[in-house]
Amino acid sequence: MTTIAQTGFGAVRSSDYRASMRFEKPTTRAGELPPESDGSQGLSAMLLAAMVSALIVVGAQLMNSWADGHLLVAWVALWLVGFAALAVFAGAAKRLATTTMTALNGWFAHLARARADARLWQAAQADPRVMAELTSAMTRYQTF
């Protein structure tokens, strides 16, 4: 009769483990976004598309009255207006998106701190030990 013993260790070589660890992304704390995903790229692309489309609509309205027999020239001019708008408004859209996302991130952080303070105060009112901790912390803060 044969007995099989299982050790619980997998058949993974240490070199395989080191190679897999090399390509993993660093983790962030809960609720924290990695710096490359702050949302400003998507917002800037959307703002840029809105600005360019508004310029193209205005250009199309102007060219409708002008281009009775010159349709190809009108389309080339309209595309030139579109690409020029992309070149002109790209930096402004990026700055506006970055500023907006920074302001929104600050506002959301302020709201999160306010909610955390409210939860802590409710816990302190229900538990005298937490209230004693808060009282001593406020006393230490006032002495500095």
Side-chain angles (χ1 to χ4, degrees):
M1 199 180 271
T2 307
T3 305
I4 298 174
Q6 301 226 350
T7 62
F9 296 109
V12 176
R13 295 188 307 256
S14 63
S15 61
D16 291 341
Y17 178 73
R18 282 195 305 267
S20 68
M21 292 300 290
R22 195 174 331 148
F23 296 110
E24 289 183 8
K25 286 189 172 183
T27 58
T28 58
R29 293 192 314 238
E32 182 179 297
L33 290 175
E36 64 268 4
S37 67
D38 65 346
S40 65
Q41 287 181 339
L43 182 61
S44 69
M46 209 157 19
L47 288 171
L48 185 61
M51 289 182 225
V52 170
S53 63
L55 256 175
I56 287 177
V57 166
V58 169
Q61 292 294 327
L62 289 174
M63 287 182 213
N64 272 344
S65 62
W66 172 74
D68 291 331
H70 308 289
L71 192 57
L72 180 64
V73 175
W75 274 107
V76 168
L78 187 62
W79 278 105
L80 285 174
V81 166
F83 287 126
L86 280 172
V88 169
F89 291 127
K94 179 68 177 171
R95 280 191 302 275
L96 180 63
T98 303
T99 303
T100 302
M101 291 308 293
T102 302
L104 284 175
N105 286 341
W107 183 55
F108 288 136
H110 173 72
L111 288 178
R113 281 192 302 270
R115 281 193 308 266
D117 288 345
R119 282 194 305 267
L120 179 64
W121 186 248
Q122 285 178 344
Q125 288 176 337
D127 190 357
R129 294 172 296 176
V130 177
M131 184 60 86
E133 290 276 338
L134 280 178
T135 305
S136 68
M138 287 189 285
T139 304
R140 277 193 307 260
Y141 178 74
Q142 289 172 354
T143 58
F144 289 119

